[in-house]
Amino acid sequence: MSKYADVILPVPLDRYFTYSIPSSLEHLVMPGTRLYVPFGKNRRLTAITVKTHDEKPSGYSVRDILGVLDEAHPSLLPQQMKLFKWISGYCLCTPGDVMKAALPAGLRPDNSPNTHSFKPKTGLFVRPGPNLTVNGMTDPDLLFGNRAKARKELFCKYLELSGADVNPESPGLVSRQSLAAFCKSPSVLQALIDEGILEYYEAETGRLKPFTGKKRPLNELSQVQQKAIDEIRNSFLSRNVCLLHGITSCGKTEIYIHLIKEQIDKGRQVLYLLPEIALTTQIMHRLQSVFGDDMTVYHSRCPENVRAEIWNRQTGPEPYKLVLGARSAVMLPFSNLGLVIVDEEHEPSFKQNDPAPRYHGRNTAIMLADICHAKTLLGSATPSFESYFNALTGKYGMVTVSQRFRETGLPAPIIVDVAEMKRKRYMNGIFSPQLKEKISEALENGKQVILFQNRRGYSQTVECQDCGWVQKCDRCDVSLTFHKENGMAVCHYCGRKYRVPVSCPSCGGKSIRGRGYGTERIEEDIKELFPKARTARLDLDSAKAGYETILSDFQDGKTDILVGTQMISKGLDFGNVSVVGILQADSIMSYPDFRATERAYQLIMQVAGRAGRKESGAVVVIQTRQPEAQILRMLSFSDWKEYFTGQMTERKLFNYPPYSRLVSLILKSTSLEKVEKASSSMAEKLSALFGREMVLGPDAPMISRIQSRHIRTIMVKNPVETSVRYTRTLLMQAVREMEEEEGLNGVTLFFDADPQ
Ligand code: ADP
Ligand code: ZN
Ligand code: ZN
């Protein structure tokens, strides 16, 4: 038994803390056990035990823990403790940051007024009472004879509901409510209780609704899919990670389902990660109809109590066999993980940008699988260059599927030169004649249409037509987007809303107008052009009212045209879409970032992939001012490798990932002067430590002020061979020097490893 515990606390300090364990509690404390401890003057916090030992810390008086929160078994498994350590090391954050991100709030109570600790949901149940004999159970006549007909009937109902009529040794759960539903009067049930034949007791009921739909057997795989799955299994014999590069609609999800079933049959668990949970409904239903209550869904928008309940079940005797989740699900306990699937692995939203830990869901998943001796399957029609590179260089296995399940082929691209159309006056408004024609053709044939635009809201900016003044956010360095629904100009970075002025604050003119097209306006215009079509919109604004109905209406053919932002690009499977329109492809092709073309390419291919999933003859109409752009000429599945190879040459030339490893330092302050001074002196220190050519910046990012805070970034480039630990040591040294010499007063600084 050990007398001391080193623990993680949810505080922003980069260290563990040591507490003493009263001897009466010693036997309960082990790595992963949650403790309740005093902190500072009068705070009390939940802590996670990292290790126990007998070395009395010197230099300060050690305090006793106040209690043990996990009495039956630790809430965190050894594998998780390892993973958390890796995350804080790799992502350059504190152990407390990881703890806060991982553990549902209900499982880390503290003594602040708005905390609430998780309480299992309980209900009232009925079970055999003290006066019920085994004989009475098998022969109710013994109990009631010929009298008390109502009581006898109700008792027999209990036997039926609990299964005790067949299996009197272990009656199943029967809630009071379900039995009471058969009572003619409440007094009948009460009488059985009073007689001691039945009794009430309280038990945990859980917040998660059981699956009530119908389960179906697995679909049989096509030959192509069967071949792919054999190759995946094969690849797992020699490698831990396999990349499934499969054309949109080749049936990746079906392949996953078969692999999941295989793991479950072997008694192992599966974690299935998706980039954004908002759009998982479709996949959730598909999986549920096969796996029913063996699975659950876990993401940061689940209610806290539900998250806590799932967490607890994961460390209990019957953990979920399949967890479908967003990136935060990598933090869940898995006692017997066999496989991790990362679907749409190229999605940038797997990366958490704020707050710390700034971890990448995919990379963390690979690490989790490694720790658990499980395998990882990455799936995408447009793999991240990083993963594809790892596959080509042999670090990962790779399996390619280039045929759609229904052999429909990708939609044919129609590239529309918008500048030319405008010059010839074929186009006023945002719809080219080519797109209009395709839409009306589709509608006539009872087909559906998806229109993609990268910007929500009505108009992209609010401007004065006389002097060019543009309405901007007071707190951020961004122009505002006009939203017609609420008549306000909105900052998409901080959410602040503004009235649009009647007269221009700069010249006093009265001609203030919105400019550019957001999804709201496109929806409005399309309704005008095709008044008979039923139109809907899917973006962050409309999703608030319920994205599920929007999607299911489209799926059921209740709407004909769906206008949306990138939300519509992710893995959705609609059979009847024959036209996809990308309205302003330029808006996604021109970001000043080395990943810009990779992203644009992925987005265009993914959006296009929503069309023609069931029938051939679909088209994707791409409106652009750069019809010659290289990515628009390489939209067939087989071009992918060539495009990738070309891009890699450039990345190598400029020493960008995957040929180097990036860490960015972000400095923020309300004072421009302070942030400028701190960032340039930080950049100097880093140059001295890493070498001048390895440090870029300080730079002002494209949006250099958000919520009144000025931002500067510094990028450190490292050769891939340098260890993360080495980089971390140097970075920490620079920070320490800064703090000692001039202090970082008024400036916050944080790291982002592998910024996306
Ligand atoms: P992906 O995930 O690769 O985009 P999906 O798994 O969504 O593709 O498959 C595309 C469509 O084809 C879906 O409607 C799916 O139900 C159907 N499908 C794929 N494979 C099979 C199969 N083996 N049996 C029946 N239907 C299948
Ligand atoms: Zn003006
Ligand atoms: Zn703002």
Side-chain angles (χ1 to χ4, degrees):
M1 307 265 153
S2 314
K3 293 193 170 53
Y4 300 99
D6 290 351
V7 304
I8 304 175
L9 286 177
V11 296
L13 291 170
D14 196 13
R15 47 169 290 210
Y16 299 138
F17 298 81
T18 306
Y19 287 86
S20 44
I21 314 169
S23 57
S24 61
L25 296 177
E26 273 177 13
H27 64 290
L28 292 173
V29 183
M30 54 196 93
T33 305
R34 289 177 308 138
L35 308 174
Y36 204 50
V37 301
F39 186 73
K41 245 202 191 127
N42 40 28
R43 283 173 80 189
R44 287 162 180 216
L45 300 171
T46 297
I48 300 172
T49 313
V50 178
K51 70 170 201 184
T52 58
H53 57 86
D54 286 314
E55 289 156 48
K56 186 175 165 39
S58 56
Y60 60 96
S61 66
V62 192
R63 295 215 258 173
D64 264 355
I65 63 170
L66 300 169
V68 175
L69 296 174
D70 296 322
E71 301 210 335
H73 51 76
S75 269
L76 290 104
L77 303 175
Q79 300 92 309
Q80 282 177 287
M81 302 303 290
K82 265 195 199 163
L83 184 73
F84 289 8
K85 195 165 174 198
W86 177 82
I87 296 174
S88 64
Y90 192 88
C91 301
L92 300 147
C93 65
T94 68
D97 288 332
V98 185
M99 174 182 173
K100 279 198 276 187
L103 213 55
L107 295 182
R108 44 182 171 88
D110 56 39
N111 65 335
S112 71
N114 49 10
T115 181
H116 78 113
S117 100
F118 169 71
K119 285 194 194 59
K121 191 173 175 188
T122 57
L124 213 48
F125 290 83
V126 183
R127 68 183 167 200
N131 297 335
L132 179 60
T133 56
V134 175
N135 287 346
M137 196 126 61
T138 43
D139 188 1
D141 281 341
L142 276 181
L143 287 173
F144 302 100
N146 287 328
R147 43 171 204 104
K149 219 169 141 237
R151 262 180 278 167
K152 188 164 129 188
E153 254 177 48
L154 188 64
F155 180 72
C156 289
K157 200 74 209 173
Y158 166 77
L159 294 180
E160 188 190 319
L161 290 175
S162 64
D165 49 352
V166 200
N167 190 1
E169 299 298 316
S170 56
L173 281 183
V174 175
S175 72
R176 182 177 75 161
Q177 208 185 354
S178 62
L179 187 59
F182 294 98
C183 285
K184 296 197 176 79
S185 120
S187 61
V188 183
L189 180 52
Q190 194 54 49
L192 287 175
I193 302 286
D194 292 343
E195 286 168 34
I197 293 178
L198 295 177
E199 68 180 10
Y200 290 144
Y201 70 106
E202 207 159 321
E204 201 171 319
T205 56
R207 292 173 171 85
L208 293 151
K209 286 196 196 72
F211 174 69
T212 50
K214 223 178 152 163
K215 285 221 226 174
R216 63 166 180 83
L218 271 66
N219 283 324
E220 211 169 300
L221 294 180
S222 70
Q223 255 181 11
V224 176
Q225 289 168 339
Q226 189 57 51
K227 182 163 163 280
I229 211 168
D230 290 341
E231 287 174 13
I232 293 169
R233 285 195 198 106
N234 228 335
S235 136
F236 282 151
L237 293 178
S238 55
R239 290 186 182 82
N240 288 338
V241 185
C242 177
L243 172 64
L244 171 59
H245 180 205
I247 190 168
T248 45
S249 200
C250 69
K252 287 186 288 299
T253 319
E254 292 296 331
I255 294 176
Y256 301 153
I257 290 174
H258 280 253
L259 290 168
I260 294 167
K261 178 78 172 43
E262 204 171 281
Q263 291 295 323
I264 293 181
D265 288 346
K266 279 197 255 176
R268 303 194 70 178
Q269 297 167 285
V270 179
L271 168 63
Y272 186 142
L273 289 183
L274 278 169
E276 257 168 81
I277 213 70
L279 300 163
T280 51
T281 339
Q282 232 187 11
I283 289 187
M284 184 184 81
H285 290 315
R286 266 170 90 177
L287 293 174
Q288 253 178 352
S289 68
V290 179
F291 300 108
D293 284 330
D294 284 345
M295 70 173 281
T296 192
V297 178
Y298 186 87
H299 52 81
S300 55
R301 269 168 285 173
C302 289
E304 280 295 340
N305 279 329
V306 170
R307 297 213 306 149
E309 195 170 304
I310 294 174
W311 185 289
N312 283 342
R313 174 142 168 200
Q314 288 300 93
T315 51
E318 271 187 81
Y320 284 104
K321 294 172 182 157
L322 169 62
V323 177
L324 175 66
R327 61 170 180 257
S328 63
V330 296
M331 307 276 188
L332 273 177
F334 290 95
S335 48
N336 193 11
L337 190 66
L339 175 69
V340 180
I341 295 166
V342 184
D343 195 19
E344 311 291 351
E345 66 86 30
H346 62 279
E347 269 293 331
S349 50
F350 272 122
K351 175 76 194 276
Q352 170 149 321
N353 291 319
D354 232 7
R358 296 178 175 80
Y359 66 107
H360 198 297
R362 175 192 63 220
N363 301 348
T364 312
I366 293 173
M367 199 31 124
L368 171 73
D370 264 3
I371 292 173
C372 299
H373 306 292
K375 303 289 178 185
T376 309
L377 180 63
L378 308 177
S380 176
T382 54
S384 63
F385 284 7
E386 204 176 336
S387 298
Y388 199 71
F389 181 82
N390 283 333
L392 286 186
T393 52
K395 192 171 162 195
Y396 300 168
M398 176 152 70
V399 172
T400 309
V401 182
S402 49
Q403 201 177 81
R404 287 185 142 187
F405 173 67
R406 294 191 176 85
E407 300 181 34
T408 52
L410 285 182
I414 300 176
I415 314 282
V416 178
D417 182 347
V418 171
E420 188 196 331
M421 287 294 125
K422 292 225 155 131
R423 208 167 44 240
K424 292 187 176 157
R425 300 191 184 282
Y426 287 153
M427 198 170 159
N428 62 351
I430 197 168
F431 300 102
S432 63
Q434 291 94 322
L435 180 55
K436 282 194 267 192
E437 191 190 315
K438 287 293 168 195
I439 296 176
S440 54
E441 222 176 87
L443 295 175
E444 267 162 39
N445 296 325
K447 300 280 175 217
Q448 291 171 298
V449 175
I450 287 180
L451 297 175
F452 170 82
Q453 174 70 330
N454 206 21
R455 183 70 90 107
R456 65 194 167 92
Y458 190 80
S459 42
Q460 297 186 357
T461 53
V462 177
E463 300 182 13
C464 167
Q465 292 195 312
D466 299 331
C467 74
W469 169 86
V470 176
Q471 190 173 14
K472 288 192 153 188
C473 180
D474 293 342
R475 306 199 294 170
C476 313
D477 177 25
V478 215
S479 50
L480 302 178
T481 304
F482 181 65
H483 286 244
K484 201 169 182 177
E485 267 172 0
N486 54 18
M488 302 286 264
V490 181
C491 171
H492 283 185
Y493 282 80
C494 71
R496 186 176 273 203
K497 299 186 176 78
Y498 299 80
R499 263 177 229 295
V500 176
V502 184
S503 51
C504 173
S506 166
C507 73
K510 297 269 188 236
S511 24
I512 293 194
R513 300 272 185 280
R515 233 188 79 172
Y517 289 79
T519 44
E520 260 183 29
R521 178 155 178 206
I522 290 164
E523 187 190 14
E524 187 178 288
D525 288 7
I526 201 86
K527 279 182 175 157
E528 214 162 276
L529 277 171
F530 299 98
K532 286 203 197 103
R534 296 157 300 174
T535 309
R537 173 165 59 87
L538 182 63
D539 56 27
L540 221 57
D541 303 308
S542 71
K544 279 186 197 131
Y547 56 88
E548 289 182 27
T549 358
I550 301 172
L551 289 176
S552 62
D553 282 356
F554 193 64
Q555 169 117 44
D556 301 342
K558 289 184 196 156
T559 36
D560 305 305
I561 303 177
L562 184 62
V563 179
T565 54
Q566 40 78 29
M567 287 181 93
I568 57 170
S569 71
K570 286 170 202 166
L572 294 170
D573 181 34
F574 305 113
N576 199 30
V577 177
S578 71
V579 176
V580 163
I582 299 178
L583 295 164
Q584 288 181 327
D586 309 295
S587 68
I588 48 179
M589 297 192 320
S590 45
Y591 276 112
D593 179 276
F594 72 93
R595 283 200 183 85
T597 58
E598 175 186 346
R599 293 264 198 274
Y601 194 52
Q602 285 160 346
L603 195 51
I604 291 174
M605 297 283 275
Q606 290 290 344
V607 177
R610 299 314 110 207
R613 293 171 76 90
K614 229 176 199 160
E615 281 170 44
S616 302
V619 294
V620 50
V621 180
I622 303 174
Q623 304 190 152
T624 173
R625 289 178 180 275
Q626 314 163 57
E628 301 299 315
Q630 194 200 9
I631 56 174
L632 299 181
R633 295 152 170 271
M634 306 191 98
L635 295 178
S636 85
F637 186 75
S638 54
D639 289 335
W640 208 89
K641 191 167 175 186
E642 190 189 332
Y643 182 70
F644 168 85
T645 314
Q647 287 295 310
M648 279 303 119
T649 318
E650 269 182 40
R651 296 238 182 136
K652 188 161 192 184
L653 196 64
F654 296 106
N655 197 19
Y656 274 124
Y659 296 98
S660 66
R661 215 198 327 245
L662 301 180
V663 177
S664 83
L665 274 75
I666 297 132
L667 297 98
K668 293 185 180 178
S669 175
T670 46
S671 149
L672 181 59
E673 198 194 323
K674 278 185 188 165
V675 80
E676 284 193 327
K677 190 160 161 278
S679 55
S680 47
S681 99
M682 191 70 192
E684 261 167 46
K685 291 198 185 345
L686 292 169
S687 301
L689 290 167
F690 287 93
R692 189 152 296 280
E693 66 292 348
M694 293 299 178
V695 178
L696 308 174
D699 289 312
M702 194 159 69
I703 292 167
S704 64
R705 190 171 57 111
I706 295 179
Q707 301 197 338
S708 304
R709 302 212 288 170
H710 299 273
I711 308 166
R712 290 295 179 270
T713 58
I714 304 169
M715 191 82 91
V716 179
K717 248 189 213 183
N718 276 305
V720 258
E721 313 81 63
T722 39
S723 76
V724 176
R725 179 176 302 208
Y726 173 78
T727 310
R728 182 185 167 94
T729 312
L730 293 192
L731 289 171
M732 291 305 172
Q733 186 181 333
V735 173
R736 228 176 307 119
E737 283 175 20
M738 271 301 282
E739 278 167 351
E740 278 161 18
E741 288 165 26
E742 41 212 300
L744 275 164
N745 98 61
V747 180
T748 48
L749 179 154
F750 59 84
F751 301 105
D752 187 2
D754 300 338
Q756 293 290 307

